[in-house]
Amino acid sequence: MVTIVLAERAPRMSVATDPHKKFAAYAHPERLVSTDWLAQNIGTPGLVVVESDEDVLLYETGHIDGAVKIDWHTDLNDEVARDYVDGEGFARLMSAKGISRDSTVVIYGDKSNWWAAYALWVFTLFGHEDIRLLDGGRDKWIAEGRSVSTDTPQPAATDYPVIERNDAPIRAYMTDVLQHFGNPLIDVRSVDEYTGARTHMPAYPEEGALRGGHIPSAASVPWARAAAEDGTFRSRDELDAIYRGEAGLKDGDDVVAYCRIGERSSHTWFVLQHLLGFQHVRNYDGSWTEWGNAVRVPIAKGDAPGEVPARA
Amino acid sequence: METTAIPQQLAEIVDDFQALDEPDRLQLLLEFSRGLPELPERFREHPELLEQVVECQSPLFLTLEFAPLPERIVSLYFSAPQEAPTTRGFAGVLLEGLNGLPAAEILAVPDDVPERLGLTRAITPLRMRGMAAMLGRIKRQIRESPAA
């Protein structure tokens, strides 16, 4: 008789992880690489470097040698419905970018890795195992005077399998949030967006939310607090002080994070899930552009989180 | 009969974009981004003379100068960081398309010109709004200038 042992699956890392001392304190140090590590590992078989930016032309001005570009809007979002691509679409994208199911993917981008974290979160919806962020992102690489290239790689197509998204573990829909009341919610937008003084980011365009404020009971922890001046993630101790200390999160908590369209909250999702080790963290990508327009959902204004509403 | 209100130099840019497929349109926008000149020193030392276009996703500042009446030829000046090539590209298009024109011709430019570049799908409507906002603020500065 054959006994099959199903060991708990640790991520299968095809390229050695970065032993950087700062990362060792995080719950999942294998999810980050430093600029030093990346500089030494460019060209390692099995490694694909992906740039994902807010600015759609930034990659073209010069990118890390060999890096491919993935655009959050034209590549990861469905063109018609407000949703992500499906399994076939993702497999096509991965194939075009030279990514195999067992590739080690290192993602970096502008704005302290907002869009890189968003891309990493979308990769996670499809269960791609070995995905890492470049700590400090594009800005740190450039600030260190490291080389960039304007050559666009032409990777050989891969045979990436069609895997349907598994949203439930890490993605919350509006109906999930209405069922979530009583559990912690983290609003990662700016303080003025949280209080309802404004419905969009300072210096950013109005994106058409009809109401201002926040989801009642949500704690305000602007995403940027997790990033240091140079765009790298703050140390484990600093992050614990913010999220466990100030925001009061506890081990075992079921947490939902949101922002305006889900990109800044992907950054916070990464921090909670991979750096601090919370196991039930979901990103509500509908975020304020859905909630602030929805009919008859509760909204709180001002600095205080507000009462926990009844679950709908 | 109504004639088109798009000045020749701007119409040529629109045609150039329209003649390309999408990836090449982005490449052309990148060239406009690279071609955006530095601010003259008198503005570099006086950032308070420039107006920020807050609708852009990256910091973009602009200002105008007018030659004397009757035509009031407009000179445009833009400033945006290198790490914001899309915003710089929009500024570059408006600079080449509008600089040196009489104020009245700029006021007559249709507000939907940014949409005619054919970039909306690749760049998203939201990002295109930044360019529309630049045009809007240029027109407003013309209307509010003392000699208007």
Side-chain angles (χ1 to χ4, degrees):
Chain A
M1 188 179 150
V2 179
T3 311
I4 298 168
V5 179
L6 290 171
E8 195 181 325
R9 289 173 76 201
R12 193 181 53 237
M13 299 286 169
S14 60
V15 176
T17 57
D18 183 351
H20 196 288
K21 231 192 319 183
K22 171 188 152 192
F23 302 160
Y26 295 133
H28 296 283
E30 73 278 6
R31 294 298 180 182
L32 284 177
V33 303
S34 60
T35 49
D36 279 337
W37 182 95
L38 186 55
Q40 285 158 17
N41 281 276
I42 286 175
T44 302
L47 173 69
V48 180
V49 183
V50 171
E51 177 161 340
S52 206
D53 296 318
E54 175 176 88
D55 193 305
V56 72
L57 288 179
L58 196 50
Y59 169 90
E60 283 79 3
T61 67
H63 49 81
I64 295 176
D65 198 23
V68 294
K69 170 187 178 178
I70 291 185
D71 185 75
W72 67 277
H73 175 74
T74 53
D75 289 327
L76 298 176
N77 282 10
D78 185 271
E79 272 201 53
V80 180
R82 185 172 169 187
D83 200 358
Y84 300 99
V85 292
D86 61 10
E88 279 187 23
F90 189 72
R92 261 199 313 276
L93 175 67
M94 294 298 97
S95 175
K97 301 298 174 183
I99 297 171
S100 303
R101 188 67 177 167
D102 62 356
S103 293
T104 295
V105 178
V106 169
I107 314 181
Y108 73 97
D110 60 357
K111 309 247 169 180
S112 302
N113 276 333
W114 281 5
W115 304 97
Y118 184 80
L120 185 144
W121 177 76
V122 174
F123 273 61
T124 308
L125 293 173
F126 292 95
H128 191 98
E129 276 192 42
D130 190 358
I131 30 176
R132 317 178 191 180
L133 281 186
L134 174 66
D135 196 25
R138 180 184 167 96
D139 289 348
K140 185 158 193 282
W141 183 271
I142 302 284
E144 290 170 348
R146 297 180 189 271
S147 68
V148 291
S149 161
T150 51
D151 297 338
T152 305
Q154 306 290 339
T158 62
D159 191 16
Y160 200 93
V162 173
I163 312 274
E164 289 310 328
R165 285 195 332 254
N166 183 14
D167 288 351
I170 61 165
R171 184 183 185 196
Y173 306 140
M174 192 171 85
T175 46
D176 299 324
V177 177
L178 290 164
Q179 293 294 319
H180 180 79
F181 287 131
N183 294 299
L185 276 156
I186 304 284
D187 184 319
V188 318
R189 298 172 301 159
S190 61
V191 171
D192 275 355
E193 292 170 274
Y194 178 85
T195 60
R198 61 195 314 157
T199 53
H200 55 102
M201 272 187 279
Y204 267 64
E206 169 61 63
E207 275 174 287
L210 291 172
R211 290 290 187 267
H214 56 268
I215 302 177
S217 76
S220 169
V221 187
W223 73 274
R225 298 199 53 201
E229 303 289 306
D230 63 356
T232 57
F233 289 104
R234 294 200 176 277
S235 70
R236 176 69 191 256
D237 286 348
E238 290 170 318
L239 294 176
D240 274 333
I242 295 167
Y243 294 98
R244 290 180 207 268
E246 291 173 41
L249 296 183
K250 297 182 301 295
D251 287 334
D253 272 350
D254 177 358
V255 189
V256 169
Y258 72 93
C259 59
R260 187 185 44 114
I261 56 171
E263 89 295 3
R264 285 174 286 176
S265 45
S266 296
H267 189 273
T268 298
W269 171 84
F270 183 88
V271 168
L272 296 176
Q273 176 103 15
H274 291 315
L275 304 186
L276 297 182
F278 289 94
Q279 288 173 2
H280 307 287
V281 187
R282 284 174 294 168
N283 181 23
Y284 168 39
D285 59 281
S287 278
W288 200 256
T289 48
E290 179 177 43
W291 198 274
N293 286 315
V295 176
R296 301 186 77 227
V297 296
I299 289 176
K301 291 190 84 114
D303 298 327
E307 295 293 312
V308 178
R311 290 186 194 181
Chain B
M1 198 182 106
E2 222 178 317
T3 52
T4 173
I6 301 188
Q8 180 68 16
Q9 65 194 64
L10 182 58
E12 281 171 15
I13 298 174
V14 171
D15 289 346
D16 287 346
F17 273 97
Q18 288 294 343
L20 299 169
D21 59 12
E22 200 171 76
D24 287 338
R25 285 176 190 168
L26 288 176
Q27 206 58 41
L28 181 56
L29 190 65
L30 186 62
E31 281 168 31
F32 276 103
S33 159
R34 291 188 174 127
L36 187 69
E38 284 243 7
L39 279 179
E41 206 163 323
R42 62 184 185 281
F43 291 124
R44 256 180 285 157
E45 286 168 5
H46 292 282
E48 75 279 3
L49 296 175
L50 281 74
E51 175 182 5
Q52 180 169 12
V53 181
V54 297
E55 293 89 345
C56 291
Q57 294 194 319
S58 305
L60 182 280
F61 296 85
L62 65 82
T63 195
L64 282 63
E65 284 180 336
F66 300 93
L69 295 167
E71 279 211 303
R72 303 185 72 231
I73 298 292
V74 175
S75 297
L76 292 166
Y77 302 94
F78 296 92
S79 170
Q82 293 292 342
E83 61 269 22
T86 301
T87 298
R88 288 176 63 86
F90 292 159
V93 168
L94 292 176
L95 180 67
E96 196 172 313
L98 303 178
N99 198 48
L101 293 176
E105 279 193 38
I106 296 179
L107 285 177
V109 169
D111 291 330
D112 71 345
V113 157
E115 289 160 40
R116 303 190 196 182
L117 298 176
L119 289 164
T120 307
R121 200 203 72 90
I123 294 206
T124 79
L126 185 64
R127 289 157 169 165
M128 291 308 299
R129 244 185 266 172
M131 186 173 181
M134 284 184 216
L135 179 59
R137 281 170 191 255
I138 289 167
K139 289 188 183 184
R140 204 191 63 208
Q141 284 206 17
I142 292 174
R143 276 194 293 267
E144 292 178 357
S145 67

